[in-house]
């Protein structure tokens, strides 16, 4: 131990030793969190999370080793061999991942021990192979005792660490597992380093490629940052998934806990209690903390346990999906009650068995009623009067000997009607006739009659449920008596069935809108895909993402957002036909699907869906304006399986969201590549400001009267380090989609105002506003703050907007622009003459300038229609006393035409190309106009 301490103290940089320990601890904690998340899920998702945990700890161990090596000073280090360095990283990741799979698959003692050996061996392999990568002018010799000790240090802490990680649940156990894992790595490293002896020797021929210490430091730093980012993203995803799951479980728990007449609880796959409702506590006497973890056998009588009745019941539920039975059960105080038990197998979305749902009802009273009937034949009338079941006694000829009053109440038969002496068929007809009078169809009444007659003959006294209609569900039990007669009981289980149906409905439907949820939609799609493969028809899946929904929540509150979703859901349901479904997947995300044979059917379906967003929702004085982006993928052309088809529909939806004026988009194969490219642009764009990759250029705006410049329009440029100059047409839509436009737009406005502050006083600076920026509630405050910060007078700032930016929510946009105009800032309407241009917009808001779209100017020499539009816009500007600026002027003839028609201002390549410094451009343009 003293040699180890001397090795750390004398041969290492203490700062890098501490950094290595921190990296090791962070990696260990991340892997423990990812491993615990994988423990609670199954299928491919569990594999991905386990691999992520192995990658986190494997890379962290490797980084710990080489950070510590960067702090090791043996004298002269030439570098690090690339092959051995890469192999050491691969071994660390592979062996720790394998050990995690073993620990999760076999969490008992032997499995954890094997996992500890595998993981420790991988750590040791990484260390010694990594040491072989070290290129120094010396020979390495190893002391066997220290090498053996390092192996023990790598393996022994691994067993308790994996035990705490896999079996533990608390924060303390997670921290303990992380510390033990980190300790094993650090002990291995420094024990191994203490056991290394160096003997001076000439440097052999190194690898063709060596990594310097600086390269290793950069690689480790970059990799550690990437690892931290990846783990943070994965844990955020897990946290969102857990929050959604907990919300769903909380809603289910509220319902289940509110049912007090039944014991409703869940069992795990080994038939141990995992939750406990109030009805179970009342019925069986156990508090929740006492019951959770108990085996199912604890509630059975000693006789039933000896016969393994609990194993038989669970086995039947596992095999058939459901078990129903009756028998004596025990309470906590040792008393018994007669129970009616239902055990149902529970599976996840992938069909994997995850446990059982158990419902127990106290039937002691029913049992006592039956026993009292046999034991107290002399007091039959009094006993029957106290029963809560309806009872009929038939002789061997199927003629009714007697019936209690409860039987008539259940079936709604008039007590004055005499049933005694009637045959079974006549009694069944009487009950069915009442239900027909209540609205039951003749066909269903005949089916009810047959069920009653068939149940009468069933052996063993098993109950049969009769679904009479929406308002009545009856459990009928027929038992044989000595002499050939039968006693038949009827129990009204309508409320019980409603509770069960409500639970089942909540599990498959969205609690806010009542639409099918994600799980229900997935089941529907899977069933329809099977039908489509069998019968040869097509299936369209539609992903719908609401536009401007977040704005409703932000401006009107979440209550208003919930109301909007409910109104929209009702409208969507109203347009559905047979073979169509719509579901809410969560938040503002909806999905729909339809089976069809020709495109006309699909077009009609999409038209009906799109019509749901055409008009505002709700009353006129409180209307909600919701738009939607719709993506469509079709089986079998766009995929064979549900996940593939839904993912492709999602890609198409994002195409619709990003396209100007495009609300419905069909999936195309190239969307996969486009989506990847857009994700990369979005990632790089978030770093563009910090990396100083954004810049502004300016294009002069000239007066056509005297040829002098009166302002400049600021134009954004992005010079990517590898892609070069990226067009705004390519990256602005991505910025709008991701919300990055708010930060970029604020940077552009601040930078333009800062530079324009030093221009001559008569020159304005024009800045374009995105349509998305008009959704920013505090935009006016942002403009005011930038003007104060930069010192630019408000009168020298001009904001340009397009009418398409206003049209989405005209009242809101115009209100926001009036706030900005009140600051003294000028507002210009850009690209006038295209899109939705109308006199109503000009009338609703007094703009300071009209900008004619450059497309008209470019065509003005060869198109009479373009010249007519220019003339009309100029006349409109004169009538409104509003200056007009023409964009895209490239020739002297175009400038002369505009001057002849009375245009006030112009900009374009004729006056100079956009540049960094405006004043040389201004001078060049002035000379050209004057000449």
């Amino acid at each position: 131990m003293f040699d180890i301490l001397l090795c750390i103290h004398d041969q290492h940089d203490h700062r890098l030793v501490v950094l290595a320990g921190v990296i090791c601890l962070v990696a260990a904690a991340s892997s423990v969190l990812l491993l615990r998340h994988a423990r609670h899920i199954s299928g491919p998702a569990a594999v991905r999370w386990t691999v992520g945990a192995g990658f986190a700890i494997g890379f962290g161990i490797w980084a710990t080793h080489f950070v510590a090596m960067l702090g090791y000073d043996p004298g002269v280090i030439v570098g690090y061999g690339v092959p051995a360095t890469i192999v050491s990283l691969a071994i660390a990741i592979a062996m720790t991942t394998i050990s995690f799979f073993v620990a999760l698959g076999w969490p008992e003692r032997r499995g954890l021990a094997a996992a500890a050996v595998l993981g420790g061996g991988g750590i040791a392999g990484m260390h010694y192979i990594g040491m072989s990568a070290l290129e120094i002018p010396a020979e390495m010799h190893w002391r066997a005792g220290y090498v053996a000790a390092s192996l023990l240090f790598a393996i022994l802490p691994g067993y308790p660490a994996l035990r705490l990680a896999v079996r533990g649940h608390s924060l303390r156990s997670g921290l303990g597992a992380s510390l033990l894992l980190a300790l094993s790595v650090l002990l291995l490293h420094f024990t191994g380093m203490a056991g290394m002896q160096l003997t001076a020797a000439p440097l052999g021929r190194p690898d063709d490629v060596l990594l310097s210490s600086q390269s290793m430091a950069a690689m480790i730093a970059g990799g550690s940052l990437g690892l931290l980012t990846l783990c943070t993203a994965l844990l955020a995803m897990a946290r969102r998934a857990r929050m959604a799951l907990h919300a769903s479980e909380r809603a289910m728990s509220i319902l289940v806990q509110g049912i007090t007449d039944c014991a409703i609880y869940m069992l795990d796959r080994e038939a141990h209690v995992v939750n406990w409702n109030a009805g179970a506590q009342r019925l069986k006497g156990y508090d929740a903390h006492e019951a959770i973890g108990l085996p199912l056998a604890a509630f059975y009588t000693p006789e039933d346990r000896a016969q393994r009745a609990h194993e038989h019941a669970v086995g039947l539920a596992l095999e058939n999906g459901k078990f129903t039975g009756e028998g004596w059960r025990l309470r906590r105080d040792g008393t018994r009650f007669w129970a009616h038990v239902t055990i149902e197998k529970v599976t996840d979305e992938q069909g994997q068995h995850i446990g059982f749902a158990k419902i127990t009802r106290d039937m002691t009273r029913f049992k006592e009623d039956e026993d009292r009937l046999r034991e107290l034949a002399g007091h039959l009338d009094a006993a029957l009067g106290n029963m809560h079941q309806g009872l009929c006694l038939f002789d061997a000829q199927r003629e009714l000997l007697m019936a209690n009053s409860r039987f008539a109440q259940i079936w709604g038969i008039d007590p004055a009607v005499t049933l005694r002496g009637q045959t079974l068929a006549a009694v069944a007809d009487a009950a069915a006739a009442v239900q027909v009078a209540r609205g039951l169809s003749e066909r269903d009444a005949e089916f009810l009659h047959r069920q009653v007659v068939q149940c009468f003959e069933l052996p063993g006294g098993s109950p049969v449920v009769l679904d009479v209609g929406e308002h009545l569900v009856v459990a009928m039990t027929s038992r044989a008596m000595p002499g050939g007669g039968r006693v038949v009981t009827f129990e009204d289980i309508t409320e019980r069935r409603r509770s069960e149906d409500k639970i089942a409905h909540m599990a498959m439907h969205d609690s806010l809108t009542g639409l099918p949820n994600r799980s229900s939609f997935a089941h529907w799609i899977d069933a329809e895909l099977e039908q489509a493969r069998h019968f040869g028809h097509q299936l369209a899946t539609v992903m719908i993402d609401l536009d401007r929904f977040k704005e409703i929540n932000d401006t009107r509150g979440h209550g208003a957002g919930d109301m909007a979703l409910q109104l929209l859901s009702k409208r969507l349901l109203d347009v559905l036909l047979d073979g169509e479904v719509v579901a809410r997947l969560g938040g503002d995300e909806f999905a729909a699907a339809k089976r069809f044979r020709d495109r006309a059917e699909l077009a009609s379906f999409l038209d009906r869906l799109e019509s749901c967003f055409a008009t505002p929702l709700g009353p006129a004085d409180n209307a909600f304006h919701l738009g939607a982006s719709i993506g469509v993928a079709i089986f079998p052309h766009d995929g064979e399986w549900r996940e593939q088809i839904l993912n492709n529909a999602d890609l198409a939806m994002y195409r619709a969201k990003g396209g100007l004026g495009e609300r419905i988009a069909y999936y195309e194969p190239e969307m996969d590549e486009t989506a990847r490219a857009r994700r990369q642009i979005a990632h790089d764009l978030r770093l563009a400001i910090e990396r100083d990759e954004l810049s502004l250029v300016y294009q002069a705006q000239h007066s056509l009267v005297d040829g002098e410049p009166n302002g400049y329009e600021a134009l954004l440029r992005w010079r990517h380090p590898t892609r070069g100059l990226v067009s705004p047409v390519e990256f602005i839509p991505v910025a709008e989609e991701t919300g990055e436009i708010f930060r970029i737009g604020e940077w552009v406005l601040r930078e333009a105002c800062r530079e324009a502050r030093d221009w001559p006083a008569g020159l304005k600076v024009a800045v374009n506003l995105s349509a998305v920026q008009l959704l920013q509630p505090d935009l006016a405050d942002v403009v005011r703050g930038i003007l104060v910060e930069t010192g630019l007078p408000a009168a020298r700032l001009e904001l340009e907007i397009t009418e398409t930016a206003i049209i989405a929510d005209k009242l809101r946009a115009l209100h926001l622009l009036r706030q900005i105009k009140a600051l003294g800032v000028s507002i210009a309407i850009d690209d006038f003459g295209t899109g939705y241009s109308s006199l109503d917009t000009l009338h609703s808001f007094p703009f300071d300038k009209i900008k004619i779209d450059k497309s008209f100017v470019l065509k003005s020499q060869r198109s009479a229609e373009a010249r007519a539009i220019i003339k009309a816009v100029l006349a409109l500007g004169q009538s409104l006393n509003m200056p007009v600026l023409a964009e895209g002027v490239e020739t002297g003839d175009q400038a002369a035409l505009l001057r002849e028609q009375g245009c006030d201002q112009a900009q374009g390549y004729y006056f100079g190309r956009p540049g960094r410094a405006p004043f040389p451009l201004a001078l060049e343009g002035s000379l050209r106009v004057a000449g």
Side-chain angles (χ1 to χ4, degrees), residues 55-86:
F55 186 89
I57 188 66
F59 186 89
I61 293 168
W62 181 83
T64 300
H65 169 80
F66 280 101
V67 168
M69 290 303 301
L70 291 175
Y72 174 64
D73 185 15
V76 178
I77 296 179
V78 175
Y80 298 85
V82 174
T85 301
I86 295 175

Side-chain angles (χ1 to χ4, degrees), residues 491-539:
E491 182 184 5
D492 184 353
I493 60 170
T494 307
E495 290 303 320
R496 187 199 314 172
R497 172 60 65 84
R498 287 173 180 168
S499 296
E500 293 173 351
D501 290 345
K502 190 172 184 180
I503 293 173
H505 184 273
M506 286 188 63
M508 300 300 288
H509 289 77
D510 177 56
S511 58
L512 175 64
T513 63
L515 294 177
N517 60 13
R518 184 182 295 273
S519 177
S520 179
F521 184 69
H523 286 306
W524 192 94
I525 292 293
D526 288 338
E528 286 296 322
L529 286 175
E530 287 298 322
Q531 293 290 320
R533 294 186 185 102
H534 183 71
F535 294 106
H537 57 253
Q538 300 180 77
L539 180 68

Side-chain angles (χ1 to χ4, degrees), residues 374-567:
R374 298 187 182 95
E375 295 172 2
L376 304 175
H379 303 281
L380 183 60
D381 291 340
L384 295 177
N386 291 326
M387 290 180 65
H388 70 282
Q389 295 96 358
L391 184 142
C392 293
L393 185 63
F394 291 87
D395 61 17
Q397 287 73 40
R398 294 191 176 187
E399 291 184 353
L400 184 64
L401 297 177
M402 59 83 58
N404 69 351
S405 58
R406 180 60 180 155
F407 171 76
Q409 292 174 3
I410 289 175
W411 291 102
I413 300 173
D414 189 345
V417 175
T418 301
L419 296 176
R420 186 172 181 177
Q422 299 288 330
T423 64
L424 171 64
V427 174
D429 284 338
V434 176
Q435 304 314 311
V436 171
R438 292 178 173 179
L440 190 68
S441 68
E442 292 287 348
R443 181 178 178 181
D444 290 339
E446 292 177 6
F447 179 69
L448 173 63
H449 180 279
R450 289 196 302 272
Q451 277 190 299
V452 172
V453 173
Q454 291 171 0
C455 177
F456 186 85
E457 299 291 349
L458 288 177
S462 299
V464 173
V465 176
L466 308 175
D467 284 306
V468 181
E470 182 181 353
H471 304 292
L472 182 61
V473 182
V474 178
M476 175 182 173
T477 305
S478 176
R479 291 181 174 86
M481 295 190 305
R486 280 191 173 264
V487 58
V488 184
T489 57
F490 300 87
E491 182 184 5
D492 184 353
I493 60 170
T494 307
E495 290 303 320
R496 187 199 314 172
R497 172 60 65 84
R498 287 173 180 168
S499 296
E500 293 173 351
D501 290 345
K502 190 172 184 180
I503 293 173
H505 184 273
M506 286 188 63
M508 300 300 288
H509 289 77
D510 177 56
S511 58
L512 175 64
T513 63
L515 294 177
N517 60 13
R518 184 182 295 273
S519 177
S520 179
F521 184 69
H523 286 306
W524 192 94
I525 292 293
D526 288 338
E528 286 296 322
L529 286 175
E530 287 298 322
Q531 293 290 320
R533 294 186 185 102
H534 183 71
F535 294 106
H537 57 253
Q538 300 180 77
L539 180 68
T541 58
V542 181
M543 301 299 289
I544 305 172
D545 189 78
L546 303 185
D547 300 333
R548 301 187 300 278
F549 178 70
K550 183 178 183 299
E551 180 186 352
I552 294 177
N553 280 334
D554 292 343
T555 58
R556 304 196 192 184
H558 289 279
D562 290 346
M563 181 184 297
L565 291 177
Q566 290 169 338
L567 293 172

Side-chain angles (χ1 to χ4, degrees), residues 625 806-818:
H625 298 268
I806 302 174
I807 204 69
D809 191 345
K810 191 171 183 179
L811 292 178
R812 173 181 173 79
L814 293 182
H815 175 71
L816 187 61
L817 292 177
R818 287 191 178 97

Side-chain angles (χ1 to χ4, degrees), residues 773-780 811-821 845:
Q773 288 178 270
L774 289 182
L775 301 177
Q776 188 176 357
D778 60 343
L779 180 59
L811 292 178
R812 173 181 173 79
L814 293 182
H815 175 71
L816 187 61
L817 292 177
R818 287 191 178 97
Q819 290 180 328
I820 296 174
K821 187 172 174 62
F845 184 83

Side-chain angles (χ1 to χ4, degrees), residues 365-374 479 489:
R365 184 178 175 186
F366 174 78
K367 179 69 173 175
E368 291 172 351
D369 288 343
E370 288 186 328
D371 293 342
R372 188 182 298 115
L373 180 62
R374 298 187 182 95
R479 291 181 174 86
T489 57

